[in-house]
Amino acid sequence: MLYRTSLPSPIGALTLVASDAGLVAILWPDEAPDRVRLGEASERDDHPVLTAATAQLSEYFAGTRTTFDLPLDPQGTPFQRDVWLALADIPFAGTRSYAEIARAIGRPSATRAVGAANGRNPLSIVAPCHRVVGANGALTGFAGGLETKRFLLDHERRVAGVW
């Protein structure tokens, strides 16, 4: 069973989805319907995982939280889950390239596959796919849009004082 709630944020209303095991997804306001495939979810503002996720994401946007401590339950292949887990190792306000993520998971020739898995990351912000950039440091595709990616990176740099 899946549960959902909505979280107003500076980048629009995010939809949070949880199972009883953990946070399943954070969806963008204009989410493409096939990017993260989920079953039907019931509205449930008081679900403990959704309550914790709402609080921690609100703290993140307020600039008082730089890491997340939530049970996670992303749905994906073992390769995708490896990529999504590696995203959590990117430091707050830092960036990594797709090639660096590929090396970090022991698959140095899988740069394109890492990009594809990154694009399907269901746990945006918590598994910080916005911190992944091109090899030359350029902003690259992002499910929430490049303007949102820039906002998140700038927000983190302001909070960390690394302007």
Side-chain angles (χ1 to χ4, degrees), residues 85-106:
L85 184 62
L87 297 176
D89 292 334
I90 304 172
F92 185 82
T95 59
R96 295 289 183 271
S97 70
Y98 296 100
E100 288 172 315
I101 299 296
R103 285 192 298 274
I105 64 168

mmCIF file of all heavy atoms in Angstrom, residues 85-106:
data_model
loop_
_atom_site.group_PDB
_atom_site.id
_atom_site.type_symbol
_atom_site.label_atom_id
_atom_site.label_comp_id
_atom_site.label_asym_id
_atom_site.label_seq_id
_atom_site.Cartn_x
_atom_site.Cartn_y
_atom_site.Cartn_z
ATOM 1 N N LEU A 85 21.850 5.243 -4.160
ATOM 2 C CA LEU A 85 22.568 5.204 -2.889
ATOM 3 C C LEU A 85 23.842 6.048 -2.982
ATOM 4 O O LEU A 85 24.185 6.774 -2.043
ATOM 5 C CB LEU A 85 22.889 3.753 -2.520
ATOM 6 C CG LEU A 85 23.544 3.515 -1.183
ATOM 7 C CD1 LEU A 85 22.635 3.982 -0.044
ATOM 8 C CD2 LEU A 85 23.857 2.031 -1.003
ATOM 9 N N ALA A 86 24.532 5.973 -4.111
ATOM 10 C CA ALA A 86 25.754 6.762 -4.295
ATOM 11 C C ALA A 86 25.465 8.262 -4.284
ATOM 12 O O ALA A 86 26.320 9.056 -3.870
ATOM 13 C CB ALA A 86 26.449 6.367 -5.592
ATOM 14 N N LEU A 87 24.288 8.656 -4.717
ATOM 15 C CA LEU A 87 23.938 10.081 -4.708
ATOM 16 C C LEU A 87 23.978 10.644 -3.294
ATOM 17 O O LEU A 87 24.366 11.798 -3.087
ATOM 18 C CB LEU A 87 22.541 10.295 -5.307
ATOM 19 C CG LEU A 87 22.350 9.903 -6.773
ATOM 20 C CD1 LEU A 87 20.889 10.084 -7.169
ATOM 21 C CD2 LEU A 87 23.271 10.683 -7.685
ATOM 22 N N ALA A 88 23.601 9.824 -2.331
ATOM 23 C CA ALA A 88 23.570 10.277 -0.937
ATOM 24 C C ALA A 88 24.969 10.590 -0.412
ATOM 25 O O ALA A 88 25.107 11.277 0.602
ATOM 26 C CB ALA A 88 22.886 9.233 -0.060
ATOM 27 N N ASP A 89 26.015 10.107 -1.091
ATOM 28 C CA ASP A 89 27.388 10.382 -0.671
ATOM 29 C C ASP A 89 27.925 11.705 -1.206
ATOM 30 O O ASP A 89 29.021 12.116 -0.835
ATOM 31 C CB ASP A 89 28.317 9.240 -1.118
ATOM 32 C CG ASP A 89 28.044 7.949 -0.372
ATOM 33 O OD1 ASP A 89 27.544 8.001 0.770
ATOM 34 O OD2 ASP A 89 28.326 6.875 -0.942
ATOM 35 N N ILE A 90 27.167 12.362 -2.069
ATOM 36 C CA ILE A 90 27.614 13.665 -2.572
ATOM 37 C C ILE A 90 27.388 14.680 -1.453
ATOM 38 O O ILE A 90 26.270 14.830 -0.969
ATOM 39 C CB ILE A 90 26.836 14.092 -3.836
ATOM 40 C CG1 ILE A 90 26.940 13.026 -4.921
ATOM 41 C CG2 ILE A 90 27.362 15.451 -4.338
ATOM 42 C CD1 ILE A 90 26.040 13.280 -6.122
ATOM 43 N N PRO A 91 28.439 15.362 -1.033
ATOM 44 C CA PRO A 91 28.272 16.284 0.100
ATOM 45 C C PRO A 91 27.311 17.436 -0.214
ATOM 46 O O PRO A 91 27.199 17.872 -1.359
ATOM 47 C CB PRO A 91 29.679 16.817 0.359
ATOM 48 C CG PRO A 91 30.573 16.226 -0.653
ATOM 49 C CD PRO A 91 29.789 15.325 -1.549
ATOM 50 N N PHE A 92 26.656 17.916 0.814
ATOM 51 C CA PHE A 92 25.784 19.077 0.723
ATOM 52 C C PHE A 92 26.561 20.214 0.082
ATOM 53 O O PHE A 92 27.705 20.489 0.446
ATOM 54 C CB PHE A 92 25.323 19.470 2.132
ATOM 55 C CG PHE A 92 24.326 20.587 2.169
ATOM 56 C CD1 PHE A 92 22.984 20.340 1.949
ATOM 57 C CD2 PHE A 92 24.723 21.883 2.438
ATOM 58 C CE1 PHE A 92 22.046 21.360 1.989
ATOM 59 C CE2 PHE A 92 23.804 22.914 2.483
ATOM 60 C CZ PHE A 92 22.461 22.649 2.261
ATOM 61 N N ALA A 93 25.957 20.861 -0.903
ATOM 62 C CA ALA A 93 26.523 21.990 -1.639
ATOM 63 C C ALA A 93 27.651 21.573 -2.576
ATOM 64 O O ALA A 93 28.289 22.414 -3.181
ATOM 65 C CB ALA A 93 26.998 23.112 -0.708
ATOM 66 N N GLY A 94 27.890 20.272 -2.723
ATOM 67 C CA GLY A 94 28.916 19.787 -3.639
ATOM 68 C C GLY A 94 28.283 19.239 -4.903
ATOM 69 O O GLY A 94 27.061 19.173 -5.028
ATOM 70 N N THR A 95 29.116 18.850 -5.845
ATOM 71 C CA THR A 95 28.637 18.217 -7.073
ATOM 72 C C THR A 95 29.564 17.060 -7.435
ATOM 73 O O THR A 95 30.705 16.994 -6.970
ATOM 74 C CB THR A 95 28.581 19.203 -8.261
ATOM 75 O OG1 THR A 95 29.882 19.742 -8.497
ATOM 76 C CG2 THR A 95 27.578 20.324 -8.011
ATOM 77 N N ARG A 96 29.045 16.175 -8.266
ATOM 78 C CA ARG A 96 29.811 15.070 -8.840
ATOM 79 C C ARG A 96 29.359 14.911 -10.284
ATOM 80 O O ARG A 96 28.217 15.231 -10.624
ATOM 81 C CB ARG A 96 29.552 13.754 -8.106
ATOM 82 C CG ARG A 96 30.003 13.708 -6.663
ATOM 83 C CD ARG A 96 31.535 13.674 -6.557
ATOM 84 N NE ARG A 96 31.966 13.566 -5.172
ATOM 85 C CZ ARG A 96 32.185 14.590 -4.358
ATOM 86 N NH1 ARG A 96 31.994 15.820 -4.782
ATOM 87 N NH2 ARG A 96 32.585 14.391 -3.127
ATOM 88 N N SER A 97 30.243 14.381 -11.106
ATOM 89 C CA SER A 97 29.884 14.113 -12.496
ATOM 90 C C SER A 97 29.289 12.711 -12.594
ATOM 91 O O SER A 97 29.439 11.881 -11.688
ATOM 92 C CB SER A 97 31.116 14.216 -13.397
ATOM 93 O OG SER A 97 31.998 13.132 -13.146
ATOM 94 N N TYR A 98 28.657 12.444 -13.718
ATOM 95 C CA TYR A 98 28.124 11.105 -13.965
ATOM 96 C C TYR A 98 29.253 10.075 -13.935
ATOM 97 O O TYR A 98 29.093 8.982 -13.402
ATOM 98 C CB TYR A 98 27.393 11.056 -15.309
ATOM 99 C CG TYR A 98 26.167 11.937 -15.350
ATOM 100 C CD1 TYR A 98 26.206 13.186 -15.944
ATOM 101 C CD2 TYR A 98 24.975 11.512 -14.785
ATOM 102 C CE1 TYR A 98 25.081 14.008 -15.975
ATOM 103 C CE2 TYR A 98 23.844 12.316 -14.815
ATOM 104 C CZ TYR A 98 23.915 13.559 -15.404
ATOM 105 O OH TYR A 98 22.798 14.359 -15.428
ATOM 106 N N ALA A 99 30.412 10.438 -14.505
ATOM 107 C CA ALA A 99 31.556 9.520 -14.515
ATOM 108 C C ALA A 99 32.043 9.237 -13.092
ATOM 109 O O ALA A 99 32.420 8.102 -12.776
ATOM 110 C CB ALA A 99 32.689 10.103 -15.364
ATOM 111 N N GLU A 100 32.039 10.245 -12.240
ATOM 112 C CA GLU A 100 32.457 10.024 -10.845
ATOM 113 C C GLU A 100 31.495 9.077 -10.129
ATOM 114 O O GLU A 100 31.927 8.229 -9.340
ATOM 115 C CB GLU A 100 32.558 11.363 -10.105
ATOM 116 C CG GLU A 100 33.743 12.191 -10.539
ATOM 117 C CD GLU A 100 33.734 13.596 -9.959
ATOM 118 O OE1 GLU A 100 32.660 14.258 -9.977
ATOM 119 O OE2 GLU A 100 34.795 14.032 -9.492
ATOM 120 N N ILE A 101 30.208 9.207 -10.397
ATOM 121 C CA ILE A 101 29.229 8.292 -9.799
ATOM 122 C C ILE A 101 29.463 6.881 -10.335
ATOM 123 O O ILE A 101 29.442 5.904 -9.576
ATOM 124 C CB ILE A 101 27.776 8.753 -10.075
ATOM 125 C CG1 ILE A 101 27.512 10.132 -9.462
ATOM 126 C CG2 ILE A 101 26.770 7.728 -9.572
ATOM 127 C CD1 ILE A 101 27.589 10.205 -7.961
ATOM 128 N N ALA A 102 29.714 6.757 -11.636
ATOM 129 C CA ALA A 102 29.975 5.441 -12.237
ATOM 130 C C ALA A 102 31.179 4.779 -11.569
ATOM 131 O O ALA A 102 31.138 3.584 -11.233
ATOM 132 C CB ALA A 102 30.183 5.574 -13.745
ATOM 133 N N ARG A 103 32.237 5.534 -11.356
ATOM 134 C CA ARG A 103 33.415 4.984 -10.675
ATOM 135 C C ARG A 103 33.092 4.618 -9.232
ATOM 136 O O ARG A 103 33.547 3.592 -8.724
ATOM 137 C CB ARG A 103 34.576 5.971 -10.737
ATOM 138 C CG ARG A 103 35.229 6.028 -12.112
ATOM 139 C CD ARG A 103 36.553 6.789 -12.096
ATOM 140 N NE ARG A 103 36.427 8.183 -11.699
ATOM 141 C CZ ARG A 103 36.132 9.186 -12.520
ATOM 142 N NH1 ARG A 103 35.933 8.960 -13.809
ATOM 143 N NH2 ARG A 103 36.051 10.419 -12.071
ATOM 144 N N ALA A 104 32.302 5.451 -8.561
ATOM 145 C CA ALA A 104 31.968 5.207 -7.156
ATOM 146 C C ALA A 104 31.204 3.900 -6.957
ATOM 147 O O ALA A 104 31.328 3.264 -5.907
ATOM 148 C CB ALA A 104 31.165 6.379 -6.588
ATOM 149 N N ILE A 105 30.419 3.492 -7.952
ATOM 150 C CA ILE A 105 29.664 2.240 -7.806
ATOM 151 C C ILE A 105 30.398 1.061 -8.451
ATOM 152 O O ILE A 105 29.837 -0.028 -8.575
ATOM 153 C CB ILE A 105 28.224 2.360 -8.354
ATOM 154 C CG1 ILE A 105 28.228 2.616 -9.864
ATOM 155 C CG2 ILE A 105 27.448 3.433 -7.594
ATOM 156 C CD1 ILE A 105 26.864 2.466 -10.520
ATOM 157 N N GLY A 106 31.655 1.291 -8.866
ATOM 158 C CA GLY A 106 32.447 0.212 -9.436
ATOM 159 C C GLY A 106 32.109 -0.141 -10.870
ATOM 160 O O GLY A 106 32.392 -1.240 -11.330
#
